Amino acid sequence: TGANVSIGLVQFEEGIVATPFEYRPFGLELSLCQRYYERGQQPRDFLDTLNAGNVNGEIRFAVPKRTNPTVAMPGWQYFSAGVDTPVNPSVTVTNNGKFTYRATALTAFGGWTGVGSWTASAEF
């Protein structure tokens, strides 16, 4: 009672013959995971383009996804002329390497910046 068991470096095999343990570098393992899910934070100093009250931007993924992902941008805001404006941009995945977003009906100030987090899920 009160004993702890720690198990690590486990590899499942098909059949009765064990193969050598496969070691993969951390960067490779991360990129394989990011094919399915990635999240990011857009810094405030990122400049978007403003066109007739619409703000447009593009974000590239760290690695291409295994399929076109579902992208969410919760809590996104635009900042211009000292005002933060919460928005819910529409998102278009243009290919597996990036997505574009667009927020409409904003006041046409110059120098808009976008700030907020985003997630891309290609699990299903």
Side-chain angles (χ1 to χ4, degrees):
T1 62
N4 294 322
V5 175
S6 179
I7 299 174
L9 300 177
V10 176
Q11 178 171 294
F12 291 99
E13 297 282 351
E14 184 176 347
I16 58 172
V17 178
T19 60
F21 191 80
E22 180 181 3
Y23 288 95
R24 292 194 284 213
F26 178 78
L28 174 61
E29 198 68 38
L30 176 61
S31 67
L32 291 172
C33 291
Q34 286 176 325
R35 291 182 61 234
Y36 292 87
Y37 182 84
E38 185 178 344
R39 66 181 181 180
Q41 179 74 28
Q42 195 68 16
R44 184 177 289 278
D45 62 352
F46 179 78
L47 181 63
D48 294 324
T49 59
L50 181 66
N51 181 351
N54 302 319
V55 177
N56 306 292
E58 177 181 282
I59 295 177
R60 294 194 164 277
F61 300 126
V63 298
K65 305 298 169 248
R66 65 177 201 84
T67 185
N68 281 345
T70 301
V71 176
M73 300 176 77
W76 201 262
Q77 293 184 333
Y78 285 97
F79 181 80
S80 181
V83 177
D84 277 326
T85 306
V87 293
N88 188 15
S90 61
V91 174
T92 303
V93 178
T94 54
N95 62 34
N96 280 341
K98 64 184 177 183
F99 69 94
T100 60
Y101 57 91
R102 179 184 186 103
T104 59
L106 300 171
T107 305
F109 292 128
W112 281 88
T113 60
V115 63
S117 61
W118 56 269
T119 61
S121 176
E123 293 184 74
F124 300 107

